[in-house]
Amino acid sequence: VGNPLLVNVAELCRRSGTRRDIAVDVRVDELAIEDPRWAPDTGVHVAVQLESLLDGIVVEGEVRSTWQGDCRRCLRPITGALNGAVHELYQRECTAEESFPIEGEQLDLTEMVRAVLLIDAPLVPVCRADCAGLCPTCGADLNDGPCGCAVAPADPRWAALDVWRVDPER
Ligand SMILES: [Zn+2]
Ligand SMILES: [Zn+2]
């Protein structure tokens, strides 16, 4: 019961230099993410070390999950691994730029984990860097070989420029 990403830091804050390891597994729907890149029950593993400083708590470690999508060129469904490194500062009074808040005795990792997922999963995935995509004429998957459609002829207006490029003296 309770949000596993909510960490009580009273003990940590008592002395600076204190460390604590946290390893929790949550699901994407517990992060309030609604995005086609994840099924709601996709697992997310969070493994971080907290270390108290004089003016805050440093959170360092990694967030691991997977994502899903369709290749933007050939439209095949694909999945990928997500392995995001985190290094963030939590503060009672946010004096540093882009630090997260410590509220009361609690530090909430949710926002940080959510940001890693949304930023690190590709928005425009491709199944592989040299995916040939679909033929614009017949829709065949060109990864399976040429489809036989004729290559579109070059625009004649540019052909004249090509001649000029080859022999600028003419
Ligand atoms: Zn592809
Ligand atoms: Zn074709």
Side-chain angles (χ1 to χ4, degrees), residues 26-30 33 38-44 65-66 68:
V26 292
R27 287 160 34 136
V28 160
D29 55 3
E30 294 178 89
I33 291 178
W38 295 277
D41 62 352
T42 305
V44 180
S65 186
T66 53
Q68 62 184 25

Side-chain angles (χ1 to χ4, degrees), residues 45-75:
H45 183 70
V46 181
V48 289
Q49 183 175 73
L50 276 52
E51 181 177 1
S52 57
L53 307 177
L54 286 174
D55 63 343
I57 292 175
V58 170
V59 176
E60 201 168 357
E62 61 177 13
V63 174
R64 285 205 306 267
S65 186
T66 53
W67 54 265
Q68 62 184 25
D70 296 323
C71 172
R72 276 304 157 101
R73 296 187 205 149
C74 71
L75 307 180

